[in-house]
Amino acid sequence: MSSRADGAVLSYLGLRRAVGVIGILLPFVLVAGDLALGGDGLRDSISRYYYSPMRDVFVGSLCAVGVFLFCYRYERPDNRLANITGTAAIAVALLPTRPDGAATTAATVVGYLHLAAATVFFAGLAWFCLVLFTRGGSGTRSKAARNLVYRVCGATIVTCLVLAALDAALVPDAVAERFHTLFWLEAVAILAFGVAWFVKGDTILKDPPTQDPAPVI
């Protein structure tokens, strides 16, 4: 393989790892940082950290994910989905969820746009895990193990999306706020997407190196 090809492989593997690391660390960093800076620690949702001392970390992390996804180039379906999901990630960061208490009409509209962008973002991540990352069958034991991880992560994201919708529709606000149900669902979904991208970056569960055939004497 040429040095240029080696660089391209390292580039998209590095992007996958970077996205994965951000996803894995984000919920923990937001909670720990909020506590350290005198905030409430656990908020009602991940998006509520926009109104916390960790706003810059929340916005910066999602914008970084969005930029990484825009830069991610693999095959055409991956590229298109990456662009859509990256746009949604940046929209989630820059269009804040509706603030607590009375909100203006503009804030309410922006809040609905935030919800729509978050739905597209998580749906795109689930599609990556369930469809795009599992292509190629299970030719090796490592690939079969990776596919299992991707499917579990994708199913986890979808389940969290469904439960979040049910939470908003059925769970009383007082109960949801007391137990931070939406926060936990979003945190689990973000963690699942981070794990999937971390694995996709060939960080763990890698295929064993191929051995060159013995020279003919």
Side-chain angles (χ1 to χ4, degrees):
M1 185 180 292
S2 67
S3 59
R4 178 175 296 182
D6 284 336
V9 170
L10 292 175
S11 176
Y12 73 73
L13 290 180
L15 287 174
R16 290 168 174 172
R17 290 170 187 157
V19 172
V21 168
I22 292 174
I24 292 171
L25 295 181
L26 183 59
F28 302 101
V29 170
L30 290 176
V31 173
D34 194 23
L35 284 171
L37 295 173
D40 298 332
L42 284 179
R43 303 273 169 166
D44 292 341
S45 70
I46 295 291
S47 298
R48 289 289 175 192
Y49 286 92
Y50 183 89
Y51 301 106
S52 79
M54 296 298 288
R55 173 191 292 189
D56 291 344
V57 175
F58 169 75
V59 173
S61 297
L62 285 176
C63 285
V65 169
V67 170
F68 285 150
L69 289 173
F70 275 122
C71 295
Y72 179 73
R73 290 294 176 265
Y74 190 59
E75 296 181 3
R76 182 172 295 179
D78 303 69
N79 299 344
R80 290 176 176 174
L81 184 61
N83 289 340
I84 293 171
T85 308
T87 301
I90 294 174
V92 170
L94 300 182
L95 300 174
T97 187
R98 191 174 65 174
D100 291 328
T104 64
T105 301
T108 300
V109 171
V110 170
Y112 283 122
L113 292 175
H114 172 91
L115 179 61
T119 302
V120 172
F121 175 62
F122 281 113
L125 296 176
W127 189 264
F128 265 115
C129 295
L130 294 172
V131 179
L132 298 185
F133 285 175
T134 56
R135 288 170 301 188
S138 304
T140 65
R141 295 176 66 179
S142 297
K143 173 59 175 171
R146 292 197 301 272
N147 282 351
L148 177 60
V149 171
Y150 302 145
R151 291 187 177 105
V152 169
C153 290
T156 299
I157 295 171
V158 172
T159 300
C160 287
L161 277 177
V162 173
L163 291 177
L166 293 176
D167 175 76
L170 302 177
V171 177
D173 290 343
V175 175
E177 291 172 3
R178 179 179 179 183
F179 294 102
H180 308 285
T181 51
L182 183 57
F183 167 85
W184 291 114
L185 290 171
E186 290 180 342
V188 170
I190 291 173
L191 184 61
F193 115 75
V195 169
W197 279 80
F198 196 64
V199 171
K200 191 62 176 175
D202 274 358
T203 310
I204 57 175
L205 298 178
K206 296 189 292 185
D207 287 323
T210 56
Q211 296 182 347
D212 295 330
V216 177
I217 300 177

